[in-house]
Amino acid sequence: MEGSLWNKTNVVQKVRMGKRVEKALSKEKNPSSATHQEEDNPNKTPEPYKCIGNFLTDFTELCKQNGMAVIPPVMTRPKPPVPQSNAAEGKPDKKEKNKQPVPEPEPEPELNEDGEPIEPPPKTYSTKDKFEYFKPTVQVELDNHDKWDTVSEVFIRGWKIDVPMMDVFQQCWTTLDKLHSLNLWNTGLTEETLHMLSSFLPQCMNIRNVVLDGNPVKEENWWELLGEESLIQNLSLRHCKITDKGAASLGRTLGTAKMANNKLVSLNLTGNLIGDPGAESIAAGLRMNRTLMSLALTSNNIGNKGAKKIAEALSRFPLSHDEVVERRRLVSDRGSPDRNKSDTKVKDSKEDTKTVKKEKEDTRAGTKREDMIIEEEEDEEGDMRASVAADATKTIGKTKDKKKDKGKSSHQESESSDSLHMDAHDFINPLLEVADYMDGQLWVAGNRMLINLNLSRNQIDEEGMSALLKAMQYQTTLTLDSRSGGTGLMRLLVNRNLVTQDSDVIRKLNENMLPKDPFYKPPVTPEGEAA
C-alpha cells in the first residue's frame, strides 16, 4: 500500500511540473509571436524615412514608403560617347616604345543587295528603343563619379511632377549640399506644386540656377520664386504662356519704391504672351532694381508703348508720388538716424515733465521751419520744389555750390543726394541718386546695371526703336561722365521686329552698340590693324 501511494504522489508532482514547464514555454513563445504578428500587420504605419544625403537611396526609399506604383530610375545624364581614338591616347610606356604596334585587321564592310558597301553609323551617339527613351527618369550630374551624395544638377524632362513626387523631392533636395541647378522642362507644374517648390527652394542653400521652361501655370504665381528669401540668381521661364498678369507680379518682385530683389542676375521670359502692359510692369521693376544684368523678352507681343517704358527705365525717369515720399524718408533717416528712437519707460514724474517740455520746444521749432518752408514756396516754383529743399536743409545743412544756373531747391536736392551716397562697395538705393527738377517733377538716372537686353521678334516699329536709341545715347553720356552707376547696356538685340535692318534707326543703334558689345570683333584692315 505504501508503495502504491508513493507512486501516485510522484505522478501528481510530475504532472504539476509539466504544466509549469508548458506555461513557462508559452510565456517565452508569446512575445516572439506577438512581434511576428506586428511585422506581418500591413496596417501598421512604418517609421518615417530620414534622408542620409545619398540621392539614389533617399529617392528610392521615399518612393517606396509613399507606395508609388512606378518609381522613375535615377541615372547620370547621358553624354556623347568619346571616340576610341581619343580615349586610347596617352603617354606610352618606355617598354612599349620599342615595340612596333600590331595592325588590327579591318572588319569586312557590310554589303547591300547590289553588292555596294553599307556606310556604318556614326559613333558620336548611341541609339535606344523609343519606349525606353521616353520612359520617365531622373537624370543627374555628379561632381564625383559613383558618389550619389555629390549631385550638382538635376534634369527632369517630359513627365508630370505631382504633389507626392514634389514632396519626395523636397525631402531629398534639401539634404544635397552640392546641388546648384534644377532643370524641370515640361513637367506639368500646377499652382500647388509651384508653391511647394517656391517654399522649400530657400532651404537648398546652394541652388542658384532654376529652369522651368514649358510649364504653363494658369494662376501664374511665378512671383513666389522671387520672394524675400529667394536665393535664385538665374531663372528661365521660357514658353510658360505668361501673360500681362504674370508679368505684372514679376515686375513687382523685381523692384518697388520700398523693396527690390537683390539676388536675381538673369531672367529669361522668351516665348510668352507678354504685351505692352506686361512690358510696362517689368520696366517699372527695372526702375528700382540694381542687380539684374540680363533680361530676355524675345518672341513676345511687345509694341511701342512697352519699348518706350523700357527705354525710359534705362535712361532717366520722373519719380512717382510714392517714390518721392520714400526718397524723403530715406533722406531724413540718413540725415538723423536717431529721429525715430524714443524712450518707452519713464522712471518718475520729473523725467516725464522734461520730455513734455522738450516736445513743446520741438513743436515750436517745427512751426518755425514750416514758416521757412512757406517763405520758400513763395519764392520758388511749386510745392514740390520747396518741400524737397526743406528736407535737404534738415539733413544736410550747409553745402557747397556746384552749379549757379540751377534753382535753389534743385541745387540743394542734388547736393543732398550726393552726400547721402554710400561707399562704392555698398548697394546704392536708386532713390538716393542725383535728381534734377524739371517740369514740376524730380528726374533721376535710370538703370545702368542691366548689360544684356533681348527684344527680338516683337512688334516694335521705328517709334519704339527711336526711344531705345535715345536711351542708349543718354547712357553713353552718363558712362563717359562717371562709371560708378554701372556701364549701361552692352548688348541690345532687336532683330525681326517691324523695322527693316537697313533703316536709319537700326543703323544708328548698331553704330552705338557695336563698340560696347564684348563679343564684337572690329574688322581688320589690310595693314593688319583693327579698324
Side-chain angles (χ1 to χ4, degrees):
M1 290 293 291
E2 293 180 358
S4 62
L5 290 173
W6 179 255
N7 290 333
K8 288 181 180 180
T9 54
N10 288 337
V11 171
V12 173
Q13 290 178 356
K14 288 180 180 180
V15 171
R16 291 177 179 175
M17 290 295 293
K19 290 181 178 179
R20 291 176 183 174
V21 172
E22 288 179 0
K23 288 181 180 179
L25 292 174
S26 63
K27 288 180 180 179
E28 292 178 359
K29 289 181 179 179
N30 285 334
S32 61
S33 62
T35 54
H36 184 67
Q37 289 177 359
E38 289 178 0
E39 291 176 358
D40 294 340
N41 186 9
N43 296 326
K44 182 186 177 183
T45 56
E47 294 183 1
Y49 177 79
K50 294 183 179 180
C51 296
I52 58 176
N54 185 309
F55 182 61
L56 178 61
T57 304
D58 294 342
F59 180 75
T60 306
E61 291 297 328
L62 288 172
C63 289
K64 289 180 180 178
Q65 191 177 61
N66 290 344
M68 295 184 180
V70 179
I71 300 177
V74 181
M75 58 181 65
T76 56
R77 196 180 189 199
K79 296 180 180 179
V82 181
Q84 295 181 359
S85 59
N86 295 338
E89 287 181 358
K91 295 183 179 180
D93 297 336
K94 294 181 180 179
K95 296 179 180 180
E96 295 180 355
K97 284 184 178 180
N98 299 329
K99 295 181 180 180
Q100 296 181 355
V102 179
E104 298 181 359
E106 297 182 359
E108 296 182 1
E110 298 180 2
L111 303 178
N112 57 13
E113 297 177 355
D114 299 333
E116 297 178 355
I118 300 176
E119 184 179 356
K123 299 180 180 180
T124 56
Y125 65 89
S126 59
T127 59
K128 285 185 178 181
D129 184 70
K130 60 180 180 180
F131 297 107
E132 184 70 21
Y133 180 78
F134 290 107
K135 196 173 180 180
T137 59
V138 180
Q139 299 178 1
V140 298
E141 289 277 359
L142 303 176
D143 282 353
N144 295 328
H145 188 61
D146 294 335
K147 290 187 178 181
W148 290 94
D149 57 346
T150 63
V151 174
S152 58
E153 301 180 51
V154 176
F155 298 85
I156 300 174
R157 305 173 68 82
W159 55 275
K160 183 177 177 63
I161 299 178
D162 54 8
V163 174
M165 184 60 70
M166 187 63 76
D167 182 63
V168 170
F169 287 140
Q170 177 178 356
Q171 298 180 58
C172 293
W173 291 345
T174 52
T175 60
L176 299 176
D177 296 334
K178 296 191 176 181
L179 181 62
H180 59 72
S181 299
L182 293 179
N183 192 321
L184 310 181
W185 176 80
N186 194 18
T187 55
L189 294 179
T190 61
E191 179 188 15
E192 188 175 2
T193 53
L194 182 58
H195 175 73
M196 293 177 64
L197 180 65
S198 305
S199 62
F200 74 79
L201 275 182
Q203 302 174 22
C204 306
M205 301 305 296
N206 292 321
I207 290 184
R208 297 293 182 269
N209 310 309
V210 177
V211 178
L212 303 178
D213 299 341
N215 287 287
V217 178
K218 183 179 179 180
E219 292 76 11
E220 301 189 44
N221 54 328
W222 303 106
W223 60 271
E224 296 183 11
L225 294 167
L226 302 176
E228 295 181 1
E229 299 179 356
S230 174
L231 302 175
I232 299 175
Q233 294 182 354
N234 303 296
L235 178 61
S236 178
L237 301 175
R238 300 182 302 171
H239 307 287
C240 292
K241 296 184 179 180
I242 299 176
T243 62
D244 296 332
K245 173 187 172 183
S249 59
L250 286 173
R252 286 191 295 270
T253 56
L254 285 179
T256 61
K258 296 185 178 181
M259 59 81 63
N261 183 285
N262 58 359
K263 294 290 190 300
L264 190 66
V265 176
S266 172
L267 178 61
N268 194 336
L269 299 175
T270 298
N272 287 290
L273 306 175
I274 301 175
D276 285 336
E280 293 176 6
S281 301
I282 293 175
L286 292 177
R287 289 159 63 109
M288 296 295 113
N289 186 286
R290 291 299 180 268
T291 54
L292 189 68
M293 301 181 70
S294 177
L295 175 63
L297 294 170
T298 318
S299 299
N300 282 280
N301 301 322
I302 300 174
N304 292 331
K305 292 182 179 179
K308 287 181 179 179
K309 284 295 181 179
I310 293 175
E312 181 183 82
L314 297 178
S315 57
R316 61 177 176 176
F317 54 86
L319 295 180
S320 64
H321 174 72
D322 294 338
E323 291 168 346
V324 171
V325 172
E326 184 66 15
R327 176 187 173 93
R328 290 177 181 175
R329 188 188 67 80
L330 293 173
V331 169
S332 181
D333 288 347
R334 290 193 61 80
S336 54
D338 297 332
R339 61 186 286 268
N340 293 325
K341 295 182 179 180
S342 61
D343 296 330
T344 58
K345 294 182 180 180
V346 180
K347 294 182 179 179
D348 49 19
S349 60
K350 292 183 179 180
E351 292 181 359
D352 194 5
T353 54
K354 288 181 180 179
T355 54
V356 172
K357 289 180 180 179
K358 194 172 183 181
E359 287 177 359
K360 290 181 178 180
E361 292 177 359
D362 291 340
T363 53
R364 291 174 183 174
T367 53
K368 291 180 180 180
R369 290 175 184 173
E370 289 178 358
D371 294 338
M372 293 173 63
I373 292 174
I374 293 172
E375 292 176 0
E376 288 183 1
E377 285 179 351
E378 294 175 354
D379 296 333
E380 301 295 338
E381 299 176 359
D383 297 338
M384 176 77 71
R385 200 174 196 176
S387 60
V388 171
D391 287 339
T393 53
K394 288 180 185 178
T395 57
I396 304 304
K398 295 183 179 180
T399 54
K400 295 181 179 180
D401 295 337
K402 285 186 177 181
K403 294 180 180 180
K404 297 180 180 179
D405 298 335
K406 290 188 177 181
K408 181 179 179 181
S409 61
S410 62
H411 172 66
Q412 291 177 343
E413 179 67 22
S414 61
E415 287 186 352
S416 65
S417 57
D418 278 340
S419 61
L420 292 174
H421 275 190
M422 290 175 278
D423 296 336
H425 302 286
D426 296 332
F427 174 75
I428 300 176
N429 194 310
L431 293 176
L432 295 178
E433 292 209 13
V434 179
D436 295 326
Y437 186 80
M438 297 185 300
D439 300 330
Q441 292 179 313
L442 280 177
W443 292 70
V444 296
N447 189 323
R448 284 163 285 160
M449 296 302 298
L450 190 72
I451 62 175
N452 180 41
L453 176 62
N454 194 336
L455 292 172
S456 301
R457 296 191 289 275
N458 279 284
Q459 308 296 323
I460 307 173
D461 59 18
E462 289 190 2
E463 184 180 355
M465 294 296 175
S466 300
L468 291 172
L469 175 61
K470 291 180 181 179
M472 296 303 98
Q473 292 173 344
Y474 184 77
Q475 278 195 351
T476 303
T477 58
L478 286 181
T479 52
L480 290 176
D481 184 25
S482 173
R483 292 183 176 268
S484 60
T487 60
L489 272 186
M490 301 177 71
R491 292 193 72 195
L492 175 63
L493 302 178
V494 291
N495 303 324
R496 298 188 181 182
N497 276 277
L498 302 182
V499 184
T500 59
Q501 292 296 316
D502 55 353
S503 64
D504 292 338
V505 179
I506 298 297
R507 181 180 56 80
K508 292 179 181 179
L509 260 177
N510 291 333
E511 291 177 355
N512 187 281
M513 296 304 300
L514 280 179
K516 303 177 183 179
D517 193 341
F519 300 101
Y520 171 69
K521 294 182 180 180
V524 180
T525 59
E527 288 106 9
E529 297 179 357

